[in-house]
Amino acid sequence: MRVLVTGAGGFIGATLLQLLHARRRVGDRPLEQLAACDTQLAALPAGVVGIAGDLAHAQMLGRIAAFAPDVCFHLAAVPGGAAEADRALSRRVNLDASLDLFEALAAAATKRSAAKGPPIVVYASTIAVYGHPLPDLVGPTTPTRPPMTYGAHKLACEIVLADYTRRGLLDGRSLRLPGIVARPRTPSGLVSAFMSEVMHSLRAGEGFISPVEPAATAWWMSARRCAQNLLHAAVMDPGAGGVDDGSRAWVLPVLRLSMAEVVHTLSTVYGVDGDQLVRYEPQAAVEAVFGRYPLLDDRAARALGLRDDGTPAALVQRALEPGFQLAEEGEAWR
């Protein structure tokens, strides 16, 4: 199996690339060749093909088509805050380049053996496709009313990918990612960056100013669990249990935690006094979007084998401890 990861130099992409390289398989199929795609690529693991360049350029798309992936994990994107600040950039990268990628993959697939079926595209979408305020329960029928350009462009790609799937050109699976932690302590362009920063700060015993109140709730997932879910999405049967409604889009199962619960967990795991280290200075705009996440009906996603981190402590350790031993190559998917 030939596998491509776009956005491989990013936070989630790099985590997924490491997981693929370690496992050397996708489901029960061996990994024949692995390619990493991004505008810039650091040193890659041995045997990984680097495809560096701008997805918006025809030459880049030609190189991807020539690689002819059986599975494409499409993670390349301009993040939420940066997309809102520069609508034209978001359109070029998050919308136009993504649609061009889908078309290039579909066109290349015409040269494939019919027995292989269309290429699988696992698309990293976002919970930002929903509006706010959210209903008390978010489920498969919750309307999508993106409050930001980032979510609007992601939703548009979901719809187009579902249409390519309907036509038999691609086999699309869109996962709506929640807040993924813990991102590196570098500028990310994400309004939700505070969710990672609180983890880094308390682990280091440093003070932290929270832009949301203690009772503010969000949907949390570690980067490692996110990568495992993305990998599972490539091999799951979207029609299992009769849950495929044609949208080919699923919200990942999450841990719904308040900021107070996260602070308490970090305090317990790292032996610090979070009540002393954290000062709450709620910002209305941040809390309106990232502090009022309700309950989630994720039964359809769970029926397909997608999973959350299990417990707040496991979330923290997966997010912050590279050496946290979960026997990744042989871990029971739970």
Side-chain angles (χ1 to χ4, degrees), residues 169-300:
L169 301 171
L170 298 173
D171 183 349
R173 296 107 187 272
S174 295
L175 300 186
R176 293 172 179 169
L177 274 52
I180 306 298
V181 293
R183 294 179 179 274
R185 301 182 90 172
T186 54
S188 66
L190 290 166
V191 181
S192 60
F194 73 91
M195 296 172 65
S196 295
E197 186 57 29
V198 65
M199 291 188 155
H200 290 299
S201 295
L202 268 63
R203 180 192 185 194
E206 301 170 355
F208 175 73
I209 299 175
S210 173
V212 298
E213 64 183 15
T217 53
W219 294 343
W220 301 71
M221 177 173 288
S222 70
R224 183 174 297 182
R225 184 56 99 200
C226 180
Q228 290 171 330
N229 277 315
L230 288 163
L231 186 53
H232 179 71
V235 298
M236 69 186 188
D237 176 6
V243 296
D244 185 5
D245 62 0
S247 70
R248 285 301 183 95
W250 299 271
V251 183
L252 288 178
V254 297
L255 291 181
R256 177 181 178 263
L257 302 172
S258 68
M259 180 57 79
E261 288 176 298
V262 173
V263 169
H264 173 75
T265 301
L266 289 162
S267 298
T268 301
V269 172
Y270 293 109
V272 297
D273 188 345
D275 292 336
Q276 292 294 319
L277 291 173
V278 178
R279 187 167 79 249
Y280 294 94
E281 296 182 1
Q283 300 175 19
V286 176
E287 190 151 313
V289 179
F290 297 103
R292 294 289 182 270
Y293 274 94
L295 296 173
L296 174 66
D297 178 359
D298 54 17
R299 287 174 295 178

Side-chain angles (χ1 to χ4, degrees), residues 3-329:
V3 176
L4 171 73
V5 179
T6 75
F11 172 54
I12 299 172
T15 305
L16 176 60
L17 195 70
Q18 291 170 359
L19 183 61
L20 281 162
H21 188 260
R23 290 189 173 182
R24 303 302 303 173
R25 68 183 190 276
V26 179
D28 60 359
R29 295 183 61 183
L31 186 60
E32 174 189 344
Q33 196 159 30
L34 176 60
C37 171
D38 213 324
T39 52
Q40 294 183 333
L41 292 167
L44 294 172
V48 176
V49 176
I51 305 177
D54 191 333
L55 270 180
H57 294 164
Q59 183 182 20
M60 184 71 167
L61 293 172
R63 294 172 64 190
I64 289 172
F67 179 74
D70 300 298
V71 177
C72 173
F73 295 94
H74 182 34
L75 281 68
V78 174
E84 190 67 13
D86 191 337
R87 181 180 62 85
L89 177 63
S90 180
R91 172 174 173 167
R92 186 175 73 84
V93 176
N94 294 344
L95 184 58
D96 294 343
S98 294
L99 300 187
D100 288 345
L101 172 65
F102 297 162
E103 183 61 29
L105 292 172
T110 60
K111 303 175 184 178
R112 294 162 58 95
S113 164
K116 296 185 73 172
I120 293 170
V121 178
V122 180
Y123 177 58
S125 188
T126 171
I127 57 175
V129 300
Y130 298 112
H132 65 84
L134 289 166
D136 293 337
L137 178 68
V138 171
T141 61
T142 298
T144 49
R145 295 189 295 268
M148 299 174 67
T149 297
Y150 176 70
H153 287 163
K154 287 285 187 175
L155 179 59
C157 289
E158 281 187 19
I159 294 169
V160 173
L161 183 57
D163 187 55
Y164 273 72
T165 302
R166 177 185 66 82
R167 290 178 172 274
L169 301 171
L170 298 173
D171 183 349
R173 296 107 187 272
S174 295
L175 300 186
R176 293 172 179 169
L177 274 52
I180 306 298
V181 293
R183 294 179 179 274
R185 301 182 90 172
T186 54
S188 66
L190 290 166
V191 181
S192 60
F194 73 91
M195 296 172 65
S196 295
E197 186 57 29
V198 65
M199 291 188 155
H200 290 299
S201 295
L202 268 63
R203 180 192 185 194
E206 301 170 355
F208 175 73
I209 299 175
S210 173
V212 298
E213 64 183 15
T217 53
W219 294 343
W220 301 71
M221 177 173 288
S222 70
R224 183 174 297 182
R225 184 56 99 200
C226 180
Q228 290 171 330
N229 277 315
L230 288 163
L231 186 53
H232 179 71
V235 298
M236 69 186 188
D237 176 6
V243 296
D244 185 5
D245 62 0
S247 70
R248 285 301 183 95
W250 299 271
V251 183
L252 288 178
V254 297
L255 291 181
R256 177 181 178 263
L257 302 172
S258 68
M259 180 57 79
E261 288 176 298
V262 173
V263 169
H264 173 75
T265 301
L266 289 162
S267 298
T268 301
V269 172
Y270 293 109
V272 297
D273 188 345
D275 292 336
Q276 292 294 319
L277 291 173
V278 178
R279 187 167 79 249
Y280 294 94
E281 296 182 1
Q283 300 175 19
V286 176
E287 190 151 313
V289 179
F290 297 103
R292 294 289 182 270
Y293 274 94
L295 296 173
L296 174 66
D297 178 359
D298 54 17
R299 287 174 295 178
R302 289 184 185 278
L304 295 175
L306 301 166
R307 296 290 181 262
D308 61 31
D309 278 285
T311 67
L315 164 77
V316 166
Q317 289 174 287
R318 279 197 190 94
L320 292 173
E321 303 296 337
F324 183 50
Q325 295 302 309
L326 292 172
E328 295 292 33
E329 281 65 59

